[in-house]
Amino acid sequence: MATTAAPPSAWPRVGALVLLLTALLSVMMIAFAWPASRSSVHDIPIAVAGPTAATAQVTQQLAAKRPGTFDVTVVGDTAAAERLILDREVYGAIDLSTGRPQLIIASAASPSVAQALQQVAQALGAAEPAVPVRDLVPLPADDPRGSGLAAGALPLVLGGIAAAGLLTAVVVGAGRRLAGALAFSVTGGLALVGILQFWLGSVEGSYWLNAGAVALGIAATALTILGLESLLGPAGLGLGAATMMLLGNPLSGLTSAPEMLPSGWGALGQFLPPGAAGSLLRSTAFFDGHAAAGHVWVLLGWAAFGLALAGLAALRTARRPVAAEPAADLVTV
């Protein structure tokens, strides 16, 4: 009597899936928790303004008490220090021009850095009354901690990822997908900034410039992922989404500042769409667009990269040989 072979067990597949999910969860934990847990103040650009003797003394104190914490630019007066802050070249300034130290901050550039600067300034003037603080570019009164802008980092990234995923699943044709991504970037930018600016009061400035900054960020993310998908298939979709979510979002610095992330990683984050888009939005919302050009070029570069990948995929498809059709049967009369 013949025996029937038992079907292969499904348990090895279950075990492999469990291990894969555990690995993915571990990667996500590292990606999000490691930058936050290792954040510290280092190489923060600040200005020290005032007479040469006074600025030299404070600079030496900073180097001795907080080595590696600040990248100091010495200027002659208050106006020069304020200009550096407004141009987004420094986060704040210790002003010694009037004889008594005062601290100039820009909380809109980073509430975390502004708080750290206040602690340092008070430590420098510990033997004297509290150092006065002047916020040159404050956050909006409706959102004095900048919570809305920080929380907007994740929807900005997810918008581009969701657009690429849904367009790939629903829309046929690379051209239609790219057009859909560009259209959604515009509407998504208008909607997100409308919520941040008119409902939550988290950003200021020109609504249209702010919406343009967010739209460019969404487009850079969506077009890059669509380009990878068109060239590599589902693997490209996963690679692009993982890059933007597990690298771009945690390293964007939007919740603190790039200089507060582990050394080198914050700089890398500014060359990824989430970091460039977040910094661009700060520039348009609070600093009249100063220091925006570099971030615009980064985002345009990613968008062009995605379009180039889509073009390569289309070229490869066009050059692929077409299978010859079977010859029609001859009919004899």
Side-chain angles (χ1 to χ4, degrees), residues 216 292-302:
L216 189 54
H295 305 303
V296 170
W297 283 114
V298 168
L299 295 172
L300 288 175
W302 280 99

Side-chain angles (χ1 to χ4, degrees), residues 199-297:
W199 183 14
L200 302 178
S202 297
V203 297
E204 298 176 337
S206 168
Y207 167 71
W208 300 106
L209 286 178
N210 294 338
V214 173
L216 189 54
I218 295 174
T221 299
L223 293 178
T224 298
I225 297 176
L226 284 175
L228 287 168
E229 190 280 333
S230 64
L231 194 65
L232 304 176
L237 186 66
L239 175 63
T243 300
M244 299 302 173
M245 178 59 69
L246 300 181
L247 276 180
N249 187 59
L251 300 181
S252 67
L254 194 56
T255 58
S256 56
E259 292 83 0
M260 296 191 74
L261 296 174
S263 181
W265 291 99
L268 172 63
Q270 295 303 293
F271 287 98
L272 296 172
S279 295
L280 177 59
L281 180 57
R282 280 197 190 276
S283 291
T284 58
F286 302 114
F287 294 90
D288 295 327
H290 288 291
H295 305 303
V296 170
W297 283 114

Side-chain angles (χ1 to χ4, degrees), residues 12-325:
R13 180 177 298 179
V14 173
L17 184 60
V18 169
L19 292 176
L20 176 60
L21 291 172
T22 303
L24 289 175
L25 183 62
S26 300
V27 169
M28 292 181 65
M29 176 60 72
I30 293 171
F32 284 90
W34 173 66
S37 64
R38 295 294 183 268
S39 65
S40 62
V41 181
H42 56 85
D43 296 324
I44 296 289
I46 66 169
V48 177
T52 303
T55 56
Q57 181 181 1
V58 168
T59 301
Q60 291 171 3
Q61 286 181 308
L62 291 173
K65 295 182 178 181
R66 305 275 182 142
T69 300
F70 298 107
D71 180 9
V72 178
T73 299
V74 177
V75 294
D77 55 31
T78 305
E82 291 179 350
R83 177 45 51 197
L84 290 178
I85 295 172
L86 294 174
D87 288 344
R88 298 209 69 190
E89 295 185 31
V90 299
Y91 281 94
I94 299 174
D95 186 13
L96 310 170
S97 302
T98 59
R100 183 187 173 189
Q102 72 164 328
L103 178 66
I104 308 173
I105 61 173
S107 58
S110 170
S112 300
V113 171
Q115 183 178 6
L117 288 176
Q118 293 181 64
Q119 294 173 354
V120 171
Q122 300 305 334
L124 288 175
E128 303 177 5
V131 175
V133 178
R134 179 162 59 94
D135 198 342
L136 185 63
V137 189
L139 284 162
D142 289 338
D143 189 7
R145 294 191 301 272
S147 302
L149 183 58
L154 187 58
L156 197 156
V157 177
L158 287 176
I161 294 174
L166 286 174
L167 288 168
T168 299
V170 175
V171 177
V172 177
R176 295 186 185 91
R177 292 172 181 172
L178 295 174
L182 290 173
F184 168 71
S185 299
V186 174
T187 58
L190 293 171
L192 286 181
V193 173
I195 294 170
L196 283 174
Q197 190 156 351
F198 300 125
W199 183 14
L200 302 178
S202 297
V203 297
E204 298 176 337
S206 168
Y207 167 71
W208 300 106
L209 286 178
N210 294 338
V214 173
L216 189 54
I218 295 174
T221 299
L223 293 178
T224 298
I225 297 176
L226 284 175
L228 287 168
E229 190 280 333
S230 64
L231 194 65
L232 304 176
L237 186 66
L239 175 63
T243 300
M244 299 302 173
M245 178 59 69
L246 300 181
L247 276 180
N249 187 59
L251 300 181
S252 67
L254 194 56
T255 58
S256 56
E259 292 83 0
M260 296 191 74
L261 296 174
S263 181
W265 291 99
L268 172 63
Q270 295 303 293
F271 287 98
L272 296 172
S279 295
L280 177 59
L281 180 57
R282 280 197 190 276
S283 291
T284 58
F286 302 114
F287 294 90
D288 295 327
H290 288 291
H295 305 303
V296 170
W297 283 114
V298 168
L299 295 172
L300 288 175
W302 280 99
F305 175 63
L307 292 173
L309 292 179
L312 286 175
L315 186 61
R316 182 183 63 182
T317 302
R319 289 183 174 180
R320 186 174 299 164
V322 180
E325 296 182 359

